Amino acid sequence: MTSVFAQSGETAKRQLRFKYKKGDNYRVLSTVTETVKVNGLLNHKAEIVNRVSARITDTDKNGRGLNEATFMTTENSTSTTANKTLTYGEEYESKYWRDSRGVFDISKEYFMPVVRDVPTLPETSVKIGESWTASGHEAHDLRRSFANNEPFKVPFTASYTYLRDEEGVTSDSKHEKKTFQVIGVKYSLFFESPLPDNLINSGEDFPTSTMGYSNQTIWWDNDKGQIDHYTEDFRIVMETYYGNQYDFTGKAHAEVTDFERTATDENLAEVLEKVKDLELENVSVTKSEKGLTISLENIQFEADSAVLLNSEKRKIDKIIKILGNYTNDLLISGHTALAGTEESCQLLSEERAESVAQYLINKGVRDKYHIFTKGFGAKVPIASNSTDKGMAKNRRVEITILDK
């Protein structure tokens, strides 16, 4: 993707700064491959996708930006997902100020993001080869595993080096040529945790020490005032009050891209007109905070299965012409009519969402890291299940062009 080059002005100093503009939208998509051991034995290997969609809702005179963000994390075993799309996981809302150097101001009620104050850019201008240090912390959500109802914070001091300038292509859909400032980041963890007062009587476990490291390389776009992409390798080892050891080792890659919000009156009218022009039957279009949704009602599969009929594939082929006008991630949601058990409806909705998503991937609409699936069973009807017509409307797959 990139090639290193030597600048004639290599000794010139740069001031590296985040830049915020009210109304800007950006998305971060990181993919982590991780091996987890418990007490020295392999527990599982996983692929974790973290998706962040954020909007700058305010700025102040000091150059800070107020980020209102939705974090989504999905995790799957790597042994079962080679040819499967990513399910849309639990969402977390977060709100925080971040200054022009990258330092957070965030309330303890928010558990995301996990790594904070990385990167922290230098106070003064720097040139290639120069280094600096800055403090940061990791904030882990241990509510499900341990007796901890606030972010579990592990402090560190990170070492930074402005490694080089490098020509490359931006991660967004425009693929513009840019000169990136490549920054190396390293930090080590060693933190002994203060124990909660009520731990002994609670019967719950709690981390007593956290050790590890992170090595990152950041491709910084100083014209834009934002990260373009980064890579990381890491290891975190937690030892607990009851003598258990959890070992997380892995690699990560992330891209940061701008995106346009699709759920506007203008886009809604435009897509509705295209649906009419393409003579698409049983297709409706709506907009919401999550994005612009194209609903395929009365979608037809082979009996009691998730295998699309050829007639539905032809319909989706027409919808692909609409999707080609947008670059945002897609969420494919499956819904069933109220027929059968709750469990069977849920499974069938998931399988049918998967079927449509795979068809879109095979057609090159998105790759597997930019399309997500979710099944709702019969829990979100849009019509009465007491009539055949109503059940047909409820038997649907929705394609949402994601805004958050």
Side-chain angles (χ1 to χ4, degrees):
M1 171 181 154
T2 54
S3 62
V4 179
F5 76 101
Q7 273 192 317
S8 59
E10 199 171 66
T11 59
K13 292 197 171 188
R14 296 180 185 270
Q15 185 181 58
L16 307 177
R17 288 292 181 265
F18 281 92
K19 298 173 184 176
Y20 308 104
K21 182 181 177 183
K22 187 175 179 179
D24 279 354
N25 303 291
Y26 66 90
R27 186 215 63 187
V28 184
L29 190 71
S30 71
T31 305
V32 181
T33 54
E34 182 178 72
T35 299
V36 180
K37 294 181 179 179
V38 178
N39 298 327
L41 300 177
L42 178 65
N43 184 272
H44 67 279
K45 294 183 178 182
E47 181 177 60
I48 304 166
V49 173
N50 300 295
R51 182 182 183 275
V52 187
S53 60
R55 184 179 181 87
I56 305 299
T57 58
D58 200 4
T59 58
D60 67 14
K61 62 182 180 180
N62 297 316
R64 299 192 308 165
L66 181 60
N67 297 252
E68 295 194 18
T70 301
F71 290 75
M72 187 283 295
T73 298
T74 182
E75 178 176 341
N76 293 306
S77 168
T78 55
S79 63
T80 60
T81 59
N83 297 309
K84 196 174 186 300
T85 56
L86 295 161
T87 57
Y88 200 82
E90 187 174 355
E91 289 186 346
Y92 302 86
E93 301 298 321
S94 190
K95 185 175 181 179
Y96 50 89
W97 288 93
R98 196 172 191 185
D99 70 18
S100 60
R101 292 183 59 214
V103 178
F104 282 73
D105 180 3
I106 182 170
S107 169
K108 64 181 180 181
E109 68 186 279
Y110 297 117
F111 287 82
M112 294 287 184
V114 173
V115 180
R116 300 174 181 179
D117 305 338
V118 175
T120 293
L121 302 173
E123 292 185 12
T124 59
S125 298
V126 289
K127 63 182 180 181
I128 293 172
E130 290 189 332
S131 300
W132 67 96
T133 60
S135 48
H137 66 274
E138 294 188 357
H140 295 277
D141 185 356
L142 303 183
R143 288 173 292 180
R144 294 180 179 176
S145 304
F146 302 110
N148 202 61
N149 292 321
E150 294 182 1
F152 176 72
K153 296 183 178 179
V154 181
F156 57 78
T157 299
S159 299
Y160 297 85
T161 303
Y162 179 4
L163 297 172
R164 62 186 183 273
D165 285 346
E166 188 172 289
E167 284 187 338
V169 178
T170 58
S171 295
D172 61 25
S173 60
K174 297 177 182 177
H175 300 303
E176 296 176 318
K177 289 186 177 180
K178 280 288 185 77
T179 299
F180 298 119
Q181 292 69 52
V182 183
I183 301 169
V185 189
K186 295 183 178 182
Y187 61 83
S188 297
L189 301 171
F190 185 80
F191 180 63
E192 294 185 342
S193 318
L195 297 178
D197 294 335
N198 63 344
L199 179 64
I200 295 176
N201 296 325
S202 72
E204 297 187 54
D205 209 353
F206 191 80
T208 55
S209 65
T210 305
M211 300 162 283
Y213 65 84
S214 170
N215 297 322
Q216 298 182 25
T217 304
I218 295 171
W219 282 260
W220 176 262
D221 184 345
N222 207 42
D223 293 332
K224 187 176 176 181
Q226 181 60 275
I227 295 170
D228 185 83
H229 60 284
Y230 69 83
T231 60
E232 178 188 19
D233 61 87
F234 64 89
R235 184 183 183 194
I236 298 174
V237 179
M238 285 185 174
E239 295 180 344
T240 74
Y241 180 75
Y242 285 120
N244 294 306
Q245 185 184 82
Y246 298 85
D247 189 329
F248 308 88
T249 306
K251 295 182 179 294
H253 172 271
E255 57 185 38
V256 183
T257 59
D258 293 334
F259 69 91
E260 296 293 330
R261 299 221 169 231
T262 62
T264 65
D265 291 338
E266 181 181 1
N267 285 340
L268 177 61
E270 184 177 312
V271 174
L272 284 170
E273 186 64 27
K274 288 180 179 177
V275 167
K276 182 180 178 181
D277 292 343
L278 292 168
E279 299 180 343
L280 287 164
E281 296 182 355
N282 299 314
V283 172
S284 62
V285 187
T286 56
K287 66 184 182 72
S288 66
E289 285 189 0
K290 190 170 286 293
L292 197 64
T293 298
I294 303 170
S295 181
L296 290 77
E297 299 164 6
N298 195 27
I299 188 166
Q300 301 294 305
F301 296 84
E302 292 182 9
D304 299 318
S305 79
V307 179
L308 280 163
L309 294 181
N310 288 333
S311 59
E312 300 306 300
K313 291 180 181 179
R314 289 192 291 271
K315 183 185 291 186
I316 295 172
D317 287 341
K318 292 182 179 181
I319 291 174
I320 287 172
K321 296 177 182 178
I322 299 173
L323 298 176
N325 294 320
Y326 303 93
T327 60
N328 297 16
D329 298 338
L330 301 178
L331 171 62
I332 315 303
S333 305
H335 301 263
T336 67
L338 187 59
T341 66
E342 181 178 340
E343 292 78 10
S344 65
C345 287
Q346 179 63 36
L347 180 60
L348 189 58
S349 70
E350 293 171 1
E351 291 175 342
R352 289 179 170 178
E354 172 74 15
S355 180
V356 173
Q358 285 290 355
Y359 188 78
L360 294 174
I361 291 170
N362 292 339
K363 286 287 185 174
V365 177
R366 300 288 190 279
D367 65 31
K368 66 170 287 187
Y369 296 103
H370 295 84
I371 190 166
F372 302 87
T373 61
K374 190 167 186 175
F376 289 89
K379 294 189 284 291
V380 191
I382 57 173
S384 171
N385 279 297
S386 61
T387 67
D388 290 344
K389 185 177 180 180
M391 293 181 73
K393 288 182 72 68
N394 292 331
R395 193 182 304 114
R396 69 195 191 278
V397 171
E398 295 176 343
I399 302 172
T400 300
I401 306 166
L402 284 170
D403 286 350
K404 63 179 295 186

